[in-house]
Amino acid sequence: MAKLHTPRWAWVLTGSGHFFTESFALIHRIEHCDVFVSKAANEVLRMYGLKLDFPETSRVLHDKTASAIPVGEFYHGVYHTVVIAPASSNTVAKCVLGISDTLATNVFAQAGKCRIPAIVFACDTAPELETMAPHGLVKVYPRRIDLENTERLKSFERTEVVESLAALEAAVRGRHDELAGHG
């Protein structure tokens, strides 16, 4: 096995289906990316018929322990950026409240404690949304609390909340350029 390249991207998949396949495709374009797959994301992967077949420079870390053991690498300089995309309303709410009882929320908490920038693609960003479900386009009407939590998350240090796929792509590209010394 090749030596682990550090620092790396940490990409978290949650149980949100909102732009899930597009976010999944974006991971394939990033080198040296560890993909953290929550229990809920495993269910979404099956619903969309997606396989965890990432480039050779990627690692896949599953939510299999109560204490989310894989997050320990945040304290050893392994990661430069966290991306949570797409981020379910459950994940966003827990992040806002400081609850870190899942792999996704624990990654966010440890990134914050280690001062690692985070990009969060929140799924609930407008009073009315259209999203692609496994069997077609559906309308979604986020609750006021979901919208409020997305707004609260925007105030967190070193956290960029994006509200569209284009904004996610731009944020990832911007962070890549910043890391490469172009930004």
Side-chain angles (χ1 to χ4, degrees), residues 64-110:
K64 292 185 177 182
T65 63
S67 61
I69 290 170
V71 301
E73 291 185 330
F74 281 88
Y75 292 93
H76 300 290
V78 173
Y79 302 106
H80 57 67
T81 308
V82 167
V83 180
I84 303 176
S88 67
S89 58
N90 185 56
T91 297
V92 169
K94 286 182 174 187
C95 289
V96 166
L97 294 174
I99 298 170
S100 52
D101 65 348
T102 66
L103 183 60
T105 56
N106 212 326
V107 165
F108 182 77
Q110 301 319 308

